[in-house]
Amino acid sequence: MDNSIDAKSHGGRLASIDALRGFDMFFITGGSGIIAGLCKGFGFGDCWLARQMAHVPWAGLAHHDTIFPLFLFLAGVSWPFSLASQRKRGLTSPMIHLRVVKRALVLFFLGMTIGGVLGFTGEFRIPSVLGQIGVSWGVAALLYMHVRKPLLRGLVVAAVLVGYWLLLAFTGAPDAPAGADLFSQEWNVISWLDRTVMPNYIYVKGVYDPESLFSIPPGIALAMLGMSAGSVLVSSRWSGVRKTILLLYASGAMLVAGFVFMFVLGMPIVKALWTSSFVLVTAAYSFAMLAVFYWVVDVKGWSRWAFYFKVIGMNSIAIYMLMRIGVIDALKAYFLKGLVSKAAESWGLFANSLALQVVCWVVLYAFYRRKVFLKV
């Protein structure tokens, strides 16, 4: 593998991992609005490309629905590198276990702060993006440490996804009428659990939560798939080209498995439920994107173009938090509000999203230059 051009990033991870994470985060730091804004500005506001920049209402898949699962997948990819580094530094298994649990709890708490728990009003959200990442990654990391054979890890993933299909397909809401669609927003068992167990602490009160605590098992499976990809990349057994091919094979296998769940087992792709079909199809996308970035950035050494995304990817949690607590919006309003206001109405979305992207990147570049990296 050619490591001549910055093939390693901060913390010993492959540069492609941070670049792909930055590419993923690009879309929630203004990128999706830039693309949708261009479509609108040129008079194609409701075109196919613009629709890819927003979540589907329930069943189905748009590009915007791949952002969260790709991020969780990449968290899994990084774990074999981190685990090897910690063991090399002499950390014992109990010490590593404690670090995993601590990271999961910190992410869960940060998610609850975004949900308003520190307002002390009793009105806050328990599930969250960060919380689901923390718990899913944490459980998967512990499983990865204790289930060491790749075949057994694969069986664990398969058991989780098949078990989740059985739960959704055959256990709907108790009040579901005969013949009801058990994957629908109204009658699925996961949303019923949300409404029953924590009705005042979910995203859409009285309906469902897209990051439900009860849909964490498939998230664990996705994180474990990411760790399988990471174990391939961290291995010294294969060349860079061989690793790329293995990732592409895995992508194809995930796509076939996803189609089986969709067309044979009748399980639709529903991001809000993290259906097994959704996990497998987005895993296929994640494996393929990782293969492309790894081959281009780390195998071929063509990394200069990826620097823009690398800056974002190396501080992804930091920028997510800064956006959610309003710091980025405040900076954008202070420095760029006047310029944005000059844009024509048809170009308003583009101008506002471009301003958001600029502010995010400038802040992250300042962090990068000063070697400030938020680690959880």
Side-chain angles (χ1 to χ4, degrees):
M1 182 175 66
D2 184 3
N3 293 329
S4 59
I5 305 179
D6 192 26
K8 294 283 185 177
S9 67
H10 180 80
R13 296 188 300 270
L14 293 172
S16 55
I17 298 175
D18 284 319
L20 180 53
R21 183 183 291 110
F23 173 81
D24 194 42
M25 292 292 294
F26 164 79
F27 292 97
I28 65 172
T29 55
S32 61
I34 290 172
I35 295 171
L38 284 171
C39 292
K40 181 179 180 181
F42 285 112
F44 303 101
D46 195 36
C47 68
W48 175 86
L49 184 59
R51 291 196 299 272
Q52 296 306 304
M53 298 299 109
H55 294 299
V56 297
W58 186 253
L61 188 72
H63 177 270
H64 214 61
D65 299 309
T66 69
I67 295 173
F68 185 5
L70 176 56
F71 190 93
L72 178 56
F73 179 88
L74 290 174
V77 173
S78 297
W79 176 238
F81 292 90
S82 176
L83 181 60
S85 175
Q86 292 180 66
R87 285 173 171 166
K88 187 176 180 180
R89 299 200 309 268
L91 273 68
T92 63
S93 289
M95 294 169 66
I96 297 174
H97 281 71
L98 184 61
R99 289 164 68 95
V100 169
V101 173
K102 177 183 175 182
R103 182 173 191 253
L105 291 176
V106 169
L107 284 171
F108 192 86
F109 176 73
L110 288 177
M112 288 185 65
T113 64
I114 293 173
V117 69
L118 296 181
F120 301 107
T121 62
E123 293 290 329
F124 60 90
R125 182 185 176 208
I126 295 177
S128 67
V129 169
L130 292 181
Q132 192 168 45
I133 291 172
V135 176
S136 297
W137 173 87
V139 174
L142 296 176
L143 285 170
Y144 181 87
M145 291 178 64
H146 291 280
V147 183
R148 301 196 175 189
K149 293 184 177 181
L151 178 59
L152 290 179
R153 290 171 181 162
L155 290 174
V156 169
V157 171
V160 170
L161 295 180
V162 171
Y164 196 65
W165 165 72
L166 290 170
L167 174 68
L168 284 169
F170 297 101
T171 312
D175 56 343
D181 180 3
L182 301 185
F183 295 103
S184 67
Q185 188 176 123
E186 297 83 4
W187 307 120
N188 74 84
V189 68
I190 299 299
S191 297
W192 175 80
L193 286 169
D194 285 335
R195 295 191 295 267
T196 303
V197 177
M198 46 183 179
N200 297 320
Y201 304 100
I202 58 177
Y203 186 70
V204 183
K205 293 183 178 179
V207 187
Y208 72 98
D209 196 296
E211 284 81 43
S212 171
L213 300 179
F214 303 106
S215 63
I216 282 177
I220 296 170
L222 182 59
M224 289 191 70
L225 289 172
M227 290 170 192
S228 297
S231 67
V232 169
L233 295 181
V234 80
S235 174
S236 58
R237 294 172 55 192
W238 303 294
S239 67
V241 172
R242 179 63 174 169
K243 292 176 181 179
T244 303
I245 293 172
L246 289 172
L247 292 174
L248 290 174
Y249 279 156
S251 175
M254 294 299 106
L255 192 59
V256 169
F259 285 168
V260 169
F261 272 91
M262 291 168 59
F263 301 115
V264 177
L265 300 180
M267 190 179 214
I269 294 177
V270 183
K271 176 187 177 295
L273 292 178
W274 281 71
T275 56
S276 303
S277 50
F278 169 77
V279 167
L280 289 165
V281 171
T282 55
Y285 168 78
S286 300
F287 272 110
M289 291 297 292
L290 180 60
V292 171
F293 271 70
Y294 173 70
W295 185 80
V296 171
V297 175
D298 290 312
V299 177
K300 302 301 293 183
W302 301 331
S303 62
R304 291 187 179 180
W305 68 273
F307 177 75
Y308 186 89
F309 297 123
K310 177 183 172 182
V311 169
I312 302 173
M314 291 176 71
N315 249 324
S316 53
I317 297 295
I319 197 61
Y320 183 80
M321 290 297 298
L322 290 174
M323 289 177 65
R324 294 307 299 267
I325 64 178
V327 172
I328 297 300
D329 280 340
L331 291 172
K332 178 167 67 74
Y334 185 81
F335 289 105
L336 298 175
K337 182 178 180 180
L339 285 175
V340 171
S341 67
K342 300 298 181 182
E345 182 178 352
S346 59
W347 289 93
L349 175 60
F350 170 78
N352 190 62
S353 300
L354 181 61
L356 174 63
Q357 175 68 199
V358 168
V359 171
C360 285
W361 199 86
V362 168
V363 169
L364 290 176
Y365 182 68
F367 287 176
Y368 176 86
R369 287 293 302 269
R370 291 164 178 76
K371 300 187 184 303
V372 177
F373 301 101
L374 177 61
K375 284 189 173 184
V376 177

